[in-house]
Amino acid sequence: MQKQTDIDEIVEKYSDMVYRIALTRCQSIENAEDIFQEVFMKYSERAPVFENCEHEKAWFIRVTINLSKNIRKSVWNKRVTNLEDNIILENDNKKEIFEIVSKLPKNYKTVIYLFYYEGYKVKEISKLMKTSEGTIKTWLFRAREMLKEKIEGGFENE
């Protein structure tokens, strides 16, 4: 079992990332919150030892992805609830982007998030998602094409 100060630091460090991945994959605030709690409970219970910071971050991403898969498969969640309209984003452009990305297939959303927001390379994403690099490249390509089709004329500068 981890010490409370260690857990607090880890939660502070990875909370935004874990929540965003869970929300991106589940499309439900309630499920994202459940996954968020479960990820940090697993960390607390298992007390994993990491080789370095990247290994630590990868562990949190992998556990979040796995738990979101489990939630999506559960009988309770067969009826998917969409994201609520009360999510507050800084401006209309970000809200529009979020809405467009949230409509992409689950794996496309995840690779877009990991590639653009977390800054992972294709090779790293393939390890995190336990999928071949070729598949990750295909998902990125298809996601970009879908986004390009839906975004008309680009976005104005912020």
Side-chain angles (χ1 to χ4, degrees):
M1 191 88 148
Q2 297 279 343
K3 291 191 291 185
Q4 188 59 43
T5 54
D6 294 341
I7 294 171
D8 291 344
E9 289 174 13
I10 288 294
V11 170
E12 180 69 29
K13 186 175 182 180
Y14 294 111
S15 61
D16 286 344
M17 179 190 71
V18 166
Y19 184 76
R20 284 187 184 122
I21 292 171
L23 185 61
T24 300
R25 291 185 63 85
C26 291
Q27 297 292 292
S28 162
I29 292 170
E30 293 82 9
N31 287 342
E33 289 171 352
D34 290 346
I35 290 168
F36 178 90
Q37 287 181 334
E38 198 167 340
V39 166
F40 292 107
M41 284 175 44
K42 284 187 182 295
Y43 173 78
S44 174
E45 292 166 356
R46 294 183 181 169
V49 178
F50 303 108
E51 297 168 10
N52 53 41
C53 289
E54 279 304 309
H55 181 229
E56 180 180 79
K57 185 176 180 181
W59 184 90
F60 281 96
I61 291 171
R62 185 76 242 148
V63 170
T64 304
I65 289 171
N66 287 341
L67 290 173
S68 64
K69 283 181 185 177
N70 294 346
I71 277 198
R72 298 282 294 179
K73 289 179 188 174
S74 74
V75 173
W76 180 259
N77 288 297
K78 288 297 180 186
R79 293 186 179 168
V80 177
T81 55
N82 290 328
L83 286 173
E84 297 175 22
D85 291 333
N86 63 357
I87 294 176
I88 299 169
L89 296 170
E90 293 89 40
N91 62 43
D92 289 338
N93 285 344
K94 287 186 180 181
K95 185 175 183 179
E96 185 179 353
I97 293 170
F98 180 81
E99 288 173 359
I100 293 170
V101 171
S102 71
K103 292 177 184 171
L104 293 174
K106 180 180 54 175
N107 288 329
Y108 295 2
K109 286 185 279 202
T110 304
V111 296
I112 290 289
Y113 176 80
L114 293 173
F115 188 82
Y116 289 106
Y117 190 82
E118 292 298 330
Y120 279 99
K121 295 183 180 355
V122 169
K123 186 174 186 172
E124 297 165 326
I125 296 170
S126 79
K127 288 180 184 175
L128 289 170
M129 295 187 72
K130 296 183 180 174
T131 307
S132 74
E133 288 181 46
T135 301
I136 298 300
K137 289 177 184 177
T138 300
W139 288 346
L140 270 173
F141 175 78
R142 289 180 182 163
R144 288 179 187 135
E145 290 297 309
M146 291 172 142
L147 291 172
K148 196 183 304 182
E149 286 176 20
K150 293 180 188 239
I151 299 171
E152 299 175 357
F155 291 100
E156 300 169 9
N157 291 334
E158 295 179 10

